[in-house]
Amino acid sequence: MPSTKSETVRPPAVAGRFYPADPGLLRRDVQRLIDAAGPVSEPLAAAYIVPHAGYRYSGPVAAQAYARLAAHRGRVKRVVLVGPSHHYPLRGTAAAPYTAWRTPLGEVRAAATNAVGSSRLPHEAEHSLEVQLPFLQVALGDDIEVTPVACGMSQTPDTARIIAALLEEAGEDAVLICSTDLSHYHDLATAQRIDAATAEAIKSLRPREIAPQHACGVFALRGTLAWADATGRRPRQLALATSADAAGSPDRVVGYPAFAIERPGL
């Protein structure tokens, strides 16, 4: 299969909406979130599950993962990002055919992949992977490469195999970031009940128990859990919250997860 790399830079699609468009304000906000969650000194996990809402809502939960990554700044050089395609009806998986992704903090180099084909369409307006980039830039610095992959409707074993191939291609110190929110627009009590069950399915590596309506990144999430199971890794919950914990109404909330998927022997 030919490389997915082409000579293009993907501009930010949600700067000024999901996170600040001003570089100084963005860096301060992300650093504040990471500082509030850390410092955390623990071994580097193989993967992290993080949310992808606006920073005012899910930023504190996402920061639980990025504070842990920040402790390994200089070691992590490559990040594989998997998440949903909210705006484009995608079947299977699609890498992004860009040489870099631009954020208000600068450009993040994109590493080509031979593990999966590419398409611009799922990535042009998608926020689930974009919102991870400023966190990565602040936590890990500018000397990183990313491989963003959108995961649409797919069979879990197929997605797991693609994740395994992406990580093998990326190298030993690469890290996987799986981007997903949890339940959407229930009252707080209902959301907490649904999300608690989803969290148990994550921790128990039971991807088939996670329904599409209970995680918007369900196909990436299921594949990540199947990959973790096949490689002897276990998820550990870092945080579980809702938009009501930040600034939202308790009448119609969105759930946010943070998990570390740890390497064998930890």
Side-chain angles (χ1 to χ4, degrees), residues 104-116:
L105 302 182
E107 291 186 2
V108 182
R109 295 190 306 277
T113 176
N114 292 308
V116 61

Side-chain angles (χ1 to χ4, degrees), residues 175-189:
V175 169
L176 173 69
I177 298 289
C178 175
S179 173
T180 187
D181 292 341
L182 296 182
S183 64
H184 281 55
Y185 310 137
H186 300 286
D187 63 86
L188 179 59

Side-chain angles (χ1 to χ4, degrees), residues 41 49 66 82 112-113 122 147 198 206 216:
S41 179
I49 297 168
Y66 288 108
V82 293
T113 176
T147 303
T198 302
R206 300 195 304 266
C216 59

